[in-house]
Amino acid sequence: MGWSWQVGKILGIKLRVHATFALILVWVGMTAWMGGRSLEAALGAVLFVLLVFGCVVLHEFGHAIAARRFGVGTRDIILLPIGGVARLERIPEDPRQELAIAAAGPMVNVVIAATLALGMMMGTGSLAVDPEIHMMALPLPSRLLVVNLFLFAFNLIPAFPMDGGRVLRALLALRLEYTQATEIASTIGQGMAFLFGFAGLLTNPFLVFIALFVWIGARQEANLVKVRSALGGIPVQHVMLTEFHTLAPDDPLARAAELTLSGSQTDFPVLDADEAVGILTQADLVRGLSEYGESSSVSETMHREFHTASPREMIEPVFLRLQESHCGTIPVLDQGRLVGLVNAENVGEFLRFQSVLAERGARRSSTGEGGGPGA
């Protein structure tokens, strides 16, 4: 995700913080300072927010550890002002596994709350909280206890793609086709987003941001599942581009600019003695022309790290790698020899043609055209 930086690595999983995360710390600190005109109050409020997000990190690691148990890796965990996101490499095909992964995060908050409650009972002998006392006036353990109970309850709201929405999708997928289950969960999630937004306009504007996240995320995930379903069982060789230009590492950028202007190809595989050694994207080309000039070599600007694919593997996992790729194009290699390219544009064209053919087949079936003996 853009505008995020890695701040650590725990259990082999990258922990990243989005740039906008700093905004909530500044806002909380300034609000506390203006309320009490005290540096101590401001620092205390910021510390509390950091501790809350520490609980959020543990929540996301709950998802990641549960996913690892089922053989699903986690690309990274990203902290945003509205919470955290554990980006899994894939969604398990078994709905029961997705159910366990989705429920693992909220259960971590239950464990944290129970641990805090036990500590408070051992320390004071009581869990009683005076409802007249403002939240920020409570002792720190009490505040964290309340926050973790809130995180547990809030995350189980069936607002897909939040945890509760994923639990709902998994339960639906036990009886329905996965795409249909996702569409239902997505529709319910967007309905919940509308309620969040309406409530946010009347009460807390922060809910509006959550509503936007849920609305956009629900639609995007539903579309992604549809794409994955349409690509299931199709080998790369049926989708890949087979007519394309290549470059050599010592070719000048002027050559790449000439090929770009003369056709529709924007990303070029770079071959050194028939071995793929890089990808020159349009963004690389523009940057190279700006910084080094048109006489500089392709090797000075090209991407040297890139994903590859085999013509015989299925397109679905390749499409997922394409989503992660910084290049936007994946070379297809057959025993080390470049035989094709896969990019988002040609996958999209393939899906459009498949959709048109499927619609035509449905119309022919409904009107009884062709196909039968004696036709």
Side-chain angles (χ1 to χ4, degrees):
M1 182 180 287
W3 290 86
S4 63
W5 291 273
Q6 183 176 336
V7 295
K9 198 171 187 179
I10 304 173
L11 301 177
I13 301 171
K14 297 176 182 177
L15 179 61
R16 306 175 68 89
V17 175
H18 198 268
T20 53
F21 179 75
L23 297 177
I24 195 170
L25 297 180
V26 173
W27 177 73
V28 166
M30 290 184 63
T31 301
W33 185 82
M34 288 188 294
R37 296 289 175 180
S38 164
L39 179 61
E40 181 181 355
L43 292 176
V46 170
L47 174 62
F48 175 64
V49 171
L50 290 174
L51 289 173
V52 169
F53 274 91
C55 295
V56 171
V57 170
L58 293 176
H59 172 111
E60 298 303 329
F61 270 99
H63 293 308
I65 292 170
R68 180 177 290 181
R69 181 181 177 187
F70 298 116
V72 178
T74 302
R75 296 204 298 268
D76 52 31
I77 291 173
I78 301 178
L79 285 182
L80 302 162
I82 61 172
V85 177
R87 299 201 298 172
L88 305 183
E89 292 178 351
R90 61 181 177 86
I91 300 297
E93 295 181 2
D94 186 341
R96 290 167 296 185
Q97 294 181 1
E98 182 181 18
L99 178 60
I101 293 171
M107 290 309 299
V108 168
N109 295 117
V110 172
V111 171
I112 295 173
T115 303
L116 289 168
L118 180 61
M120 291 167 62
M121 287 290 292
M122 294 176 64
T124 64
S126 174
L127 287 176
V129 176
D130 188 347
E132 300 294 326
I133 299 178
H134 187 271
M135 171 71 171
M136 293 305 293
L138 293 172
L140 182 59
S142 298
R143 278 183 280 161
L144 288 176
L145 173 60
V146 172
V147 165
N148 276 280
L149 291 176
F150 170 79
L151 289 174
F152 167 75
F154 185 77
N155 275 282
L156 287 183
I157 294 174
F160 188 76
M162 288 170 53
D163 295 341
R166 293 190 181 279
V167 168
L168 174 63
R169 196 255 301 271
L171 292 173
L172 290 170
L174 291 172
R175 294 188 174 274
L176 301 174
E177 194 273 327
Y178 193 73
T179 304
Q180 184 182 4
T182 302
E183 191 63 35
I184 293 173
S186 173
T187 301
I188 293 174
Q190 289 188 307
M192 296 299 300
F194 179 82
L195 294 178
F196 286 163
F198 183 73
L201 292 175
L202 297 178
T203 57
N204 188 345
F206 192 65
L207 284 174
V208 176
F209 291 101
I210 295 177
L212 289 173
F213 168 78
V214 171
W215 182 279
I216 295 171
R219 192 71 264 152
Q220 285 182 338
E221 181 120 3
N223 290 336
L224 180 60
V225 168
K226 286 181 179 178
V227 169
R228 289 173 56 191
S229 176
L231 294 176
I234 298 173
V236 170
Q237 59 191 355
H238 289 175
V239 182
M240 67 185 187
L241 295 168
T242 55
E243 294 186 8
F244 50 86
H245 295 287
T246 65
L247 296 169
D250 55 356
D251 280 342
L253 291 180
R255 170 65 177 160
E258 177 186 342
L259 291 174
T260 300
L261 294 173
S262 64
S264 59
Q265 188 174 343
T266 56
D267 295 350
F268 298 90
V270 183
L271 303 183
D272 186 5
D274 293 331
E275 179 186 358
V277 294
I279 297 285
L280 182 75
T281 68
Q282 190 170 65
D284 295 332
L285 175 58
V286 171
R287 178 174 58 84
L289 290 172
S290 174
E291 295 181 3
Y292 308 117
E294 62 181 13
S295 61
S296 63
S297 67
V298 167
S299 61
E300 294 182 62
T301 312
M302 68 183 187
H303 272 81
R304 298 179 183 274
E305 295 183 4
F306 51 90
H307 294 287
T308 63
S310 163
R312 286 170 291 280
E313 69 176 306
M314 297 299 106
I315 187 62
E316 182 184 344
V318 176
F319 178 73
L320 294 178
R321 293 206 294 273
L322 189 61
Q323 299 296 103
E324 303 170 12
S325 175
H326 296 294
C327 298
T329 294
I330 292 182
V332 182
L333 306 179
D334 188 4
Q335 297 182 347
R337 185 174 62 89
L338 181 67
V339 294
L341 299 177
V342 174
N343 59 37
E345 288 74 20
N346 77 284
V347 172
E349 289 173 356
F350 176 83
L351 288 173
R352 282 193 292 273
F353 289 136
Q354 290 290 96
S355 176
V356 169
L357 291 173
E359 289 178 6
R360 182 174 185 275
R363 288 199 304 269
R364 286 169 63 90
S365 297
S366 64
T367 57
E369 292 181 29

